[in-house]
Amino acid sequence: MSHIGPDRILSGPTENGEAPYVELGVWAATVLHQRDALTPTASLWRTDQGPPQRLDRMYCTRDLVSALLRLWVDDSSEVVACSDHALVLAEFDLERLRYALA
């Protein structure tokens, strides 16, 4: 299965028309207008796997997505020294998260 197969399963529409999970990078880019949330996360320095791609993702349920404040990709030199994949990090509003989880 290609790397987009799991994404289709997790965040693609189901029989009722709603996706079971929200991919936070897409949400941050489209709803929060944080375009850098879609920064490539893989093949940062490897050349045998094609160009840099956004393979690493973060998902949550629809009831939690409104608590997302920011999503970013850490592709700093410290991370690149350890892996050809960047880190995907998210910041949530604590009060909204507590409300959604209650």
Side-chain angles (χ1 to χ4, degrees):
M1 180 183 285
S2 72
H3 63 274
I4 61 171
D7 191 57
R8 270 192 239 129
I9 293 167
L10 293 170
S11 63
T14 61
E15 293 173 5
N16 69 2
E18 272 198 19
Y21 297 97
V22 176
E23 201 287 301
L24 294 180
V26 172
W27 180 271
T30 57
V31 177
L32 302 178
H33 307 290
Q34 299 171 1
R35 302 287 181 225
D36 60 340
L38 298 177
T39 298
T41 61
S43 298
L44 299 180
W45 48 262
R46 288 184 65 162
T47 58
D48 61 329
Q49 296 179 333
Q53 305 172 60
R54 187 171 176 276
L55 297 183
D56 304 279
R57 297 173 173 95
M58 192 177 294
Y59 299 88
C60 77
T61 57
R62 291 210 166 273
D63 55 341
L64 299 180
V65 73
S66 65
L68 181 69
L69 295 173
R70 183 170 79 114
L71 185 129
W72 69 101
V73 174
D74 182 351
D75 58 358
S76 65
S77 58
E78 293 88 356
V79 172
V80 171
C82 299
S83 176
D84 71 323
H85 286 255
L87 298 175
V88 179
L89 304 153
E91 179 181 358
F92 290 88
D93 179 280
L94 184 58
E95 288 306 312
R96 286 190 211 163
L97 199 56
R98 283 182 177 151
Y99 179 79
L101 292 171

